[in-house]
Amino acid sequence: MVSRVIPVDPFDLVIFGATGDLATRKILPGLYRRFFAGQIPEGSKIVGAARTAQDSDAFRAQVRAAIEEFVGAAKRDPAQIEAFLSIVDYVAVDAMGDDGWAALAQKLRDGRVHAFYFSVAPSLFGALAERLHSYKMAGPEARIVVEKPFGRDLASARALNATLAEHFDEHQIYRIDHYLGKETVQNLMAVRFANILFEPLWNSQYIDHVQITVAETVGVGGRGSYYDKSGAMRDMVQNHLMQLLCLIAMEPPYHFDPDAVRDEKLKVIRALQPVNSSDIVRGQYLAQARGDCDTPLPGYIEDSENPQSKTESYIALKAHVANWRWQGTPFYLRTGKRLRARTSEIAITFKQPPHSIFDENESEWRENVLVIRLQPNEGMNLKVMIKEPGPGGMRLVQVPLDMSFAEALGEDGADIPDAYERLIMDVIRGNQTLFMRGDEVEAAWAWTDPIIAGWEARGDKPASYDSGSSGPEDALMLMHRDGRRWREIR
Ligand code: NAP
């Protein structure tokens, strides 16, 4: 299967924060990969911008190093790297002052898309928007890409939306949630709306419950003090897990069109019920022994450098979407750091058939489960019951119908673009389907705020959990008491 790479029109892209971690690890290597794939024409221009005083050659050396480190050997072609570097430029710019702005404006060429990627701290988003406006770079050809976090509560998200709206129309604002750029996440929509198979069963009559898991093995070391002001609810649930929930729960949009899709997602967020405190479990990881090594990996309290911290590095909760389709089907969400394995998946557990024609021991029965894996090894797995092979009578056994996208799609599957690559190309093409609209973000905070306010008012302390485990014991109980079980994290 050969995938089509359709080149975009030549564009100018300015990356604010071009010397930072995100630009170095994701944005710049991702742009190179799109260039290598033939999607970025040579007439385009990529301008790095940050305060660091350096010339374009010094920045190109930095981009080259990022490519060497973060792009696989098969794509590190010297001639292609040189060609890519020839479209890379740099301007030293201070978001909080006037240095460099006139020079930056000079770099942009008329008659093409001008995209501005805000890969800087959120406290600078407003200042960047204002200066783009005052230096006459906020015209109709401009698009801004805004990184997460988009606010830390409803009030700050509203204020940020209002600041951006002073200088840019909503259709020029691309709020990025890189989870939406993952192949499997988009496949969720394809599976649901391009097949007749699942949609008739996609409701509370046939679906028992849904589990969404985003588990990480890393702790918060290195950015502990930042994370301590955020926590798993703000950092992961309000955006990534909420977006996944929306794609599973939403009604079919009338068309695969940005606003049609986002209207349906918004309806889901608005239908989310408040969460009972008894349906929330929060945790903090403990220190982890490291084999023979004398010094264990620090626990959350040490990583955050806050001995009094009540911030959660793990959260599990039960959510309900209060509408006709989902009445009675709970959505269990969990995410945490320093867990047993790095894995992200959505598991949809169907109900049992209403009647069994087989004389089978009840305990042999297993529900059908559709698992959509986001990482590692993006793909899908449908667990179905079949007859156990052999002459032992009609014994049933559950087997997986497994599809790894990398295997199913052959060479192309192994070459699935990184989420950032896809999303940046969408910005250039002007396709906002996979970006959050302002009202969506605000609705997500409106659901999240009272949950956080509740545990803050009660002074709840997160439960401890062992690093390398599946999270706190209480999280197991959250499902056990409903007669259900979490899927293993592995
Ligand atoms: P970072 O490593 O701290 O980089 C910040 C960048 O901003 C640097 O290039 C810095 O360069 C520049 N900068 C700082 N102050 C500036 C100013 N006044 N004017 C112009 N440039 C300035 O941060 P990061 O990890 O790349 O994160 C960037 C954004 O992406 C943040 O909003 C973060 O929340 C978000 N994000 C990051 C990740 C990730 O994996 N890193 C993931 C998701 C979201 P100079 O010091 O040279 O100015």
Side-chain angles (χ1 to χ4, degrees):
M1 201 181 303
V2 177
S3 72
R4 284 173 302 154
V5 173
I6 302 171
V8 295
D9 292 335
F11 61 89
D12 291 346
L13 167 68
V14 177
I15 306 169
F16 292 109
T19 55
D21 175 69
L22 183 67
T24 307
R25 281 190 309 111
K26 292 287 180 183
I27 303 171
L28 290 161
L31 284 165
Y32 168 73
R33 281 192 287 263
R34 288 296 91 209
F35 182 86
F36 181 86
Q39 201 164 12
I40 297 182
E42 292 206 5
S44 304
K45 187 181 266 191
I46 296 167
V47 185
R51 287 169 308 176
T52 303
Q54 61 179 347
D55 62 16
S56 297
D57 281 339
F59 181 62
R60 285 187 199 111
Q62 182 197 318
V63 177
R64 184 193 295 278
I67 294 170
E68 297 292 341
E69 186 170 356
F70 297 108
V71 175
K75 293 186 181 166
R76 291 201 307 262
D77 174 67
Q80 289 274 32
I81 293 177
E82 284 312 317
F84 177 70
L85 293 177
S86 74
I87 67 167
V88 170
D89 208 339
Y90 183 82
V91 183
V93 165
D94 184 355
M96 301 304 284
D98 287 310
D99 291 351
W101 285 93
L104 179 63
Q106 291 286 320
K107 300 269 180 197
L108 304 181
R109 286 159 299 174
D110 291 339
R112 53 174 59 200
V113 166
H114 296 164
F116 300 95
Y117 199 127
F118 292 7
S119 181
V120 294
S123 54
L124 298 178
F125 292 169
L128 287 178
E130 271 157 26
R131 282 187 175 66
L132 284 173
H133 171 74
S134 51
Y135 283 87
K136 312 237 173 316
M137 287 182 271
E141 66 291 345
R143 289 160 197 179
I144 57 171
V145 185
V146 187
E147 261 299 337
K148 81 161 201 181
F150 198 89
R152 69 180 316 274
D153 53 20
L154 178 57
S156 53
R158 270 194 185 140
L160 185 50
N161 272 336
T163 305
L164 299 182
E166 281 175 32
H167 306 300
F168 297 95
D169 286 342
E170 181 62 33
H171 75 268
Q172 296 176 287
I173 304 172
Y174 291 72
R175 295 174 194 79
I176 209 160
D177 180 334
H178 68 273
Y179 263 68
L180 287 181
K182 287 183 182 287
E183 190 75 16
T184 333
V185 173
Q186 292 168 75
N187 243 317
L188 251 175
M189 284 190 273
V191 166
R192 283 193 61 193
F193 305 130
N195 298 289
I196 192 70
L197 204 57
F198 296 112
E199 201 51 25
L201 306 180
W202 212 259
N203 56 55
S204 59
Q205 198 181 339
Y206 297 105
I207 293 182
D208 178 73
H209 72 278
V210 176
Q211 295 184 24
I212 304 177
T213 301
V214 177
E216 297 176 283
T217 50
V218 293
V220 301
R223 58 180 202 124
S225 56
Y226 156 77
Y227 187 91
D228 203 45
K229 295 186 196 73
S230 164
M233 186 73 180
R234 287 191 171 95
D235 193 47
M236 297 297 288
V237 177
Q238 183 272 344
N239 38 51
H240 305 320
L241 278 81
M242 171 86 81
Q243 288 294 323
L244 299 180
L245 185 154
C246 284
L247 294 177
I248 299 165
M250 73 184 192
E251 296 299 318
Y254 71 87
H255 191 251
F256 190 60
D257 157 276
D259 276 328
V261 171
R262 297 185 301 176
D263 285 346
E264 295 306 333
K265 286 197 293 166
L266 179 62
K267 287 182 203 163
V268 174
I269 303 175
R270 290 190 171 148
L272 279 170
Q273 286 187 328
V275 181
N276 292 331
S277 58
S278 56
D279 288 339
I280 303 170
V281 176
R282 296 160 67 235
Q284 274 181 353
Y285 58 81
L286 295 169
Q288 181 176 30
R290 281 197 286 177
D292 296 338
C293 184
D294 290 341
T295 45
L297 283 171
Y300 181 82
I301 289 293
E302 296 84 55
D303 271 346
S304 66
E305 297 171 14
N306 176 7
Q308 310 303 327
S309 176
K310 291 181 181 167
T311 304
E312 74 286 353
S313 60
Y314 174 99
I315 187 164
L317 60 84
K318 179 163 71 164
H320 290 281
V321 180
N323 62 18
W324 275 41
R325 187 189 279 261
W326 295 114
Q327 190 56 45
T329 296
F331 288 73
Y332 298 93
L333 317 183
R334 66 177 163 167
T335 180
K337 304 220 171 265
R338 240 2 137 61
L339 295 176
R340 177 174 297 150
R342 177 169 180 259
T343 176
S344 300
E345 63 166 41
I346 300 163
I348 293 142
T349 302
F350 291 85
K351 291 185 174 169
Q352 294 203 354
H355 165 73
S356 170
I357 63 166
F358 303 106
D359 291 334
E360 194 55 43
N361 178 343
E362 284 291 309
S363 67
E364 301 279 332
W365 273 100
R366 295 277 183 277
E367 307 91 348
N368 295 131
V369 185
L370 175 65
V371 181
I372 297 152
R373 281 191 312 271
L374 275 59
Q375 67 185 22
N377 189 14
E378 295 191 55
M380 292 198 315
N381 177 308
L382 179 63
K383 295 197 186 322
V384 292
M385 300 300 293
I386 63 160
K387 178 190 169 297
E388 194 177 77
M394 185 53 116
R395 294 181 63 82
L396 301 178
V397 63
Q398 192 179 51
V399 293
L401 292 178
D402 206 9
M403 184 174 93
S404 146
F405 291 154
E407 283 169 21
L409 302 179
E411 266 179 34
D412 290 340
D415 204 17
I416 294 173
D418 175 82
Y420 278 95
E421 293 173 45
R422 176 191 318 279
L423 292 172
I424 296 171
M425 290 299 100
D426 278 356
V427 173
I428 304 303
R429 279 187 293 247
N431 185 344
Q432 288 186 303
T433 311
L434 300 175
F435 296 83
M436 290 178 294
R437 211 169 50 192
D439 51 3
E440 245 185 286
V441 178
E442 290 185 16
W445 281 121
W447 178 75
T448 312
D449 275 4
I451 299 175
I452 297 175
W455 73 57
E456 285 180 352
R458 291 189 300 275
D460 291 354
K461 245 184 116 12
S464 300
Y465 62 94
D466 287 333
S467 287
S469 70
S470 301
E473 286 286 315
D474 292 353
L476 301 180
M477 291 313 297
L478 181 71
M479 294 208 61
H480 275 192
R481 64 171 200 239
D482 293 346
R484 302 184 175 108
R485 264 187 314 171
W486 289 110
R487 286 170 48 77
E488 236 179 89
I489 294 179
R490 56 193 163 132

